Amino acid sequence: MPRRTASLLSVLSTCALLLAGCANPSTGSAEDDPTKPVTLRFWHGWAEKNEVKAINDSIARFEELHPHIRVKAIGNVTDATVNQALRAGGDDAPDVVSSFTTDNVGQYCSSGMWVDLDPFMKKTGLDKHRVFPTALLDYTSYRGEQCALPLLADAFGLYYNKDAFKEVGIERPPRTMSELKRDAAKLTRRAKGGGYERVGFMPNFRLYENSPERLFAQWGPSYFDKRGKARLAEEPAAREFFATQRELIRRQGGYGPLERFRTSFGDEMSSQNAFLTGKLAMHLDGEWRGRSLKDAPFAWGTAPLPVPDDRPETYGRGFLTGTVVGIAHSSTHQNAAWELVKFLTSDTDQVVAFANAIHNVPSTKAALASPELDSDPAFRTFLRIAGNRYSSALPASINGGQYVASLQDFGYAVESGRVPDLGKGLRELDEQIDADNLQAQN
């Protein structure tokens, strides 16, 4: 299932809950005996019928291996609800928690609401560096504290319409940004009335999964320096990224016409999705999209997103995110809770079965290499992206996704022509990010 970009309101409300209530979080303990009978409370965000079944099947497998541990799962729970419960503590609070919002890991770790998992891994002999890809460890930790582990991942790549490619004589998907700009223009088909029948690649940031950080990942940017200060104005990749996006807009008719066409698209998760209806020839999206394209009226394929022309060796990379899971600081059954977290995140057979069930990317090195994974070639493109050494995730921040929301707002201003001086705009963006981080620390 897609991990949709959180709205600014959602991010800020989560921030407020965490920062206002975590100075003295309810304290649990890791003194419990994990071999004694216990019932754990596991709160998660999955809600679709097939996803809930996959979670329940996972719990059944765990309980078969640990007959003394029962797990009571509650689904469709938001981060805000979880954090309210963790602040309150008590018998009804969860022991194990999961979140789709990797942006908030920095807050989970720094606030103390999710416990540091390194002592549990050391105690039970789990070597995280041998088990998990580096990029996934990066987005589940903050300043050296591993308060979460990855529970499946999402990788972003390129979906393309093979019939449209054949129609205009393009033999393969683009691998560089220059090829993307050329192919996008060639695939764009204007309507007689001045609008569009089809756009080669819609660059506008408000489209579905087109949040700026996902395409920006193809440049491998550094958001912060060693002191934690924002450095986008010093990052040549930032100027290259926005220049590329502006050129994509220009070559396909300009921001205004493209934005008008975008507003005519159907809902992302409906049968009127713009790629499914042929209005987009190429589209940035995650691995889950393939399931909804099984009955598409055209031939389609998947590939990694293109990379900058001067970095061809990085082709195959992509943006990574995913679900994270941890143990509540208020839990009095932390050793038993660790047994559940360890099973869900590191047992190869379990990770593969769960990945196949909900069509997400597995989050361990062994599972990524498993022959038992879904053999669909379109899906395997995303497995390769997840395993690519250049693929990256967003760095954790003390105020969660606030800097991502600031980048998104800046992207909207850039694409619409409201940032005439890109260098000045980036400096102001850095200042805003630093000011927000400083406020979160006080």
PDB file of all heavy atoms in Angstrom, residues 126 190 245 274 307 367 406 418:
ATOM      1  N   LEU A 126      21.436 -10.475  17.402  1.00  0.00           N
ATOM      2  CA  LEU A 126      21.027 -10.030  16.076  1.00  0.00           C
ATOM      3  C   LEU A 126      21.968  -8.913  15.625  1.00  0.00           C
ATOM      4  O   LEU A 126      22.034  -7.849  16.246  1.00  0.00           O
ATOM      5  CB  LEU A 126      19.579  -9.534  16.107  1.00  0.00           C
ATOM      6  CG  LEU A 126      18.921  -9.273  14.739  1.00  0.00           C
ATOM      7  CD1 LEU A 126      17.411  -9.447  14.843  1.00  0.00           C
ATOM      8  CD2 LEU A 126      19.220  -7.870  14.217  1.00  0.00           C
ATOM      9  N   ARG A 190      -0.502  16.828 -27.668  1.00  0.00           N
ATOM     10  CA  ARG A 190      -1.422  17.932 -27.413  1.00  0.00           C
ATOM     11  C   ARG A 190      -2.787  17.677 -28.052  1.00  0.00           C
ATOM     12  O   ARG A 190      -2.907  17.006 -29.078  1.00  0.00           O
ATOM     13  CB  ARG A 190      -0.848  19.249 -27.959  1.00  0.00           C
ATOM     14  CG  ARG A 190       0.513  19.639 -27.409  1.00  0.00           C
ATOM     15  CD  ARG A 190       0.509  19.817 -25.900  1.00  0.00           C
ATOM     16  NE  ARG A 190      -0.299  20.945 -25.462  1.00  0.00           N
ATOM     17  CZ  ARG A 190       0.208  22.129 -25.111  1.00  0.00           C
ATOM     18  NH1 ARG A 190       1.512  22.347 -25.162  1.00  0.00           N
ATOM     19  NH2 ARG A 190      -0.581  23.093 -24.705  1.00  0.00           N
ATOM     20  N   GLN A 245      13.691  19.957 -13.141  1.00  0.00           N
ATOM     21  CA  GLN A 245      12.233  19.986 -13.061  1.00  0.00           C
ATOM     22  C   GLN A 245      11.653  21.138 -13.870  1.00  0.00           C
ATOM     23  O   GLN A 245      10.661  20.984 -14.582  1.00  0.00           O
ATOM     24  CB  GLN A 245      11.795  20.080 -11.598  1.00  0.00           C
ATOM     25  CG  GLN A 245      10.339  19.661 -11.377  1.00  0.00           C
ATOM     26  CD  GLN A 245       9.476  20.808 -10.891  1.00  0.00           C
ATOM     27  OE1 GLN A 245       9.923  21.951 -10.813  1.00  0.00           O
ATOM     28  NE2 GLN A 245       8.229  20.505 -10.565  1.00  0.00           N
ATOM     29  N   ALA A 274      -4.350   8.523 -13.600  1.00  0.00           N
ATOM     30  CA  ALA A 274      -3.951   9.102 -14.889  1.00  0.00           C
ATOM     31  C   ALA A 274      -3.020   8.202 -15.689  1.00  0.00           C
ATOM     32  O   ALA A 274      -3.050   8.216 -16.924  1.00  0.00           O
ATOM     33  CB  ALA A 274      -3.294  10.467 -14.666  1.00  0.00           C
ATOM     34  N   VAL A 307      18.898   9.006 -13.775  1.00  0.00           N
ATOM     35  CA  VAL A 307      19.862   9.658 -12.885  1.00  0.00           C
ATOM     36  C   VAL A 307      20.523  10.818 -13.621  1.00  0.00           C
ATOM     37  O   VAL A 307      20.435  10.918 -14.854  1.00  0.00           O
ATOM     38  CB  VAL A 307      20.925   8.654 -12.396  1.00  0.00           C
ATOM     39  CG1 VAL A 307      20.284   7.560 -11.558  1.00  0.00           C
ATOM     40  CG2 VAL A 307      21.693   8.044 -13.568  1.00  0.00           C
ATOM     41  N   ALA A 367      15.876 -11.713   2.746  1.00  0.00           N
ATOM     42  CA  ALA A 367      14.562 -11.757   2.113  1.00  0.00           C
ATOM     43  C   ALA A 367      14.593 -11.168   0.707  1.00  0.00           C
ATOM     44  O   ALA A 367      13.921 -11.671  -0.202  1.00  0.00           O
ATOM     45  CB  ALA A 367      13.536 -11.023   2.969  1.00  0.00           C
ATOM     46  N   SER A 406       8.619  21.666   4.459  1.00  0.00           N
ATOM     47  CA  SER A 406       9.191  22.938   3.995  1.00  0.00           C
ATOM     48  C   SER A 406       9.748  22.791   2.585  1.00  0.00           C
ATOM     49  O   SER A 406       9.585  23.685   1.741  1.00  0.00           O
ATOM     50  CB  SER A 406      10.291  23.398   4.949  1.00  0.00           C
ATOM     51  OG  SER A 406       9.772  23.674   6.232  1.00  0.00           O
ATOM     52  N   ARG A 418       7.505  31.284  -8.676  1.00  0.00           N
ATOM     53  CA  ARG A 418       7.510  32.271  -7.607  1.00  0.00           C
ATOM     54  C   ARG A 418       8.849  32.375  -6.886  1.00  0.00           C
ATOM     55  O   ARG A 418       8.949  33.017  -5.837  1.00  0.00           O
ATOM     56  CB  ARG A 418       6.391  31.957  -6.608  1.00  0.00           C
ATOM     57  CG  ARG A 418       5.003  32.172  -7.182  1.00  0.00           C
ATOM     58  CD  ARG A 418       3.899  31.927  -6.178  1.00  0.00           C
ATOM     59  NE  ARG A 418       3.657  30.501  -5.962  1.00  0.00           N
ATOM     60  CZ  ARG A 418       3.791  29.886  -4.792  1.00  0.00           C
ATOM     61  NH1 ARG A 418       4.208  30.565  -3.737  1.00  0.00           N
ATOM     62  NH2 ARG A 418       3.517  28.594  -4.675  1.00  0.00           N
TER      63      ARG A 418
END
